[in-house]
Amino acid sequence: MTLVMGIVNVTPDSFSDGGRYLDAEAAVAHGLALRVQGADILDVGGESTRPGSERVAPAVEQERVVPVVRALAQAGAYVSIDTMNASTAVAAVDAGARLVNDVSGGLADPELLAAVAATGADVVLGHWRGPSADMYARAAYADVVTDVLAELAERVEAAAAAGIAPSRVILDPGIGFGKKGEQNWATLRGTARLVGMGPRVLVGTSRKRFLAETLAGDPDAQADVGERRRDLATAVTSVLAAQAGAWAVRVHDVAATRDALAVARAWEGESRWASPTRSR
């Protein structure tokens, strides 16, 4: 059964809910609410990766996330830390995180993979071609699915060289990162090929721009598509990712995604969703 990862943004500038949970108490309360709604994993992040965002200092990031990670872990939640910084990854694991979610796949901080290897935590390696500030300038592919798979295979090799066994690795195709419009849809259609590489697969489409562009029918009008419609589109793509074999989906609206997955399981039957790569 595909797991649901709930997003806990402890940031002032995330594209969807920036500033809403910047206060640690509010972030913890939000995380606990997502857990009640059915989140299997809580992904805590202190640095926005929205298009055009700038990096923040690791010390600032840790000030935001470590208290939240510690409180959620102490409450019994399975916590992931969403970070591109080695020092933040280590601090968060020390505070109770069990998974390091690096959208850069270890490219933003050359020390991250070795640091994670030493902690024993699992790691998500995202497909990434550069910082959010100018990532769309790198959205050129011969064949987007083939290129994404090849570049992720390189990250798996880098993780292994750093001492992280493939069984600890989760791959993320990086929907929205260095990909425009149809490139995201093509990448999603290639989910089964990514699953075929062997490691578990995490897919995150939640509220992203390409969904709004599709719903609006016009890239210039995508800002007019509200959260409710984006969440519906997220639930649909999350179900499709699950059907393709994704180990987990990363979402803002946990309840809607849980409902969508339950309906899809009822339609197709539980056996259709069984996967040898679902354990965590």
Side-chain angles (χ1 to χ4, degrees):
M1 185 171 66
T2 299
L3 305 178
V4 176
M5 175 184 281
I7 298 169
V8 182
N9 284 324
V10 195
T11 61
D13 58 345
S14 290
F15 79 93
S16 176
D17 54 4
R20 196 176 300 176
Y21 309 111
L22 183 58
D23 175 77
E25 289 187 6
V28 171
H30 179 57
L32 294 176
L34 292 180
R35 191 177 180 216
V36 170
Q37 292 168 20
D40 300 290
I41 305 167
L42 298 176
D43 193 40
V44 179
E47 177 179 8
S48 174
T49 53
R50 64 177 174 79
S53 62
E54 300 292 337
R55 300 298 310 274
V56 301
V60 173
E61 181 186 31
Q62 290 163 39
E63 182 179 357
R64 293 173 180 173
V65 301
V66 170
V68 178
V69 169
R70 181 176 292 112
L72 291 174
Q74 289 176 347
Y78 183 107
V79 181
S80 166
I81 178 64
D82 179 2
T83 185
M84 294 185 282
N85 293 310
S87 60
T88 301
V90 172
V93 173
D94 286 345
R98 297 163 60 186
L99 174 63
V100 176
N101 180 11
D102 181 2
V103 298
S104 82
L107 290 170
D109 185 344
E111 298 180 359
L112 184 135
L113 293 178
V116 173
T119 68
D122 287 356
V123 63
V124 177
L125 303 176
H127 178 262
W128 190 79
R129 283 192 163 183
S132 296
D134 64 347
M135 62 181 173
Y136 291 138
R138 297 172 171 84
Y141 301 88
D143 178 277
V144 66
V145 177
T146 299
D147 291 352
V148 167
L149 267 58
E151 290 166 30
L152 283 175
E154 292 176 358
R155 304 320 304 152
V156 174
E157 292 176 1
I164 302 175
S167 61
R168 293 170 57 191
V169 170
I170 299 155
L171 298 179
D172 181 342
I175 301 301
F177 288 91
K179 302 171 189 69
K180 298 179 180 178
E182 171 57 26
Q183 292 172 335
N184 291 296
W185 290 113
T187 302
L188 286 172
R189 289 192 291 269
T191 299
R193 288 178 59 187
L194 180 56
V195 170
M197 289 177 62
R200 292 165 288 171
V201 171
L202 170 68
V203 174
T205 63
S206 194
R207 296 179 182 171
K208 290 190 175 179
R209 177 174 181 165
F210 81 105
L211 295 178
E213 290 176 347
T214 298
L215 296 176
D218 178 1
D220 294 330
Q222 59 91 23
D224 296 331
V225 177
E227 277 188 10
R228 184 174 180 181
R229 294 179 67 193
R230 290 185 189 225
D231 284 337
L232 176 57
T234 298
V236 173
T237 52
S238 295
V239 165
L240 295 172
Q243 290 174 327
W247 165 77
V249 290
R250 182 179 182 273
V251 301
H252 293 86
D253 189 337
V254 168
T257 300
R258 272 287 181 207
D259 288 347
L261 290 170
V263 169
R265 282 196 300 273
W267 180 281
E268 296 196 347
E270 292 288 342
S271 62
R272 170 66 177 78
W273 297 74
S275 169
T277 59
R278 68 174 291 271
S279 61
R280 57 173 170 84

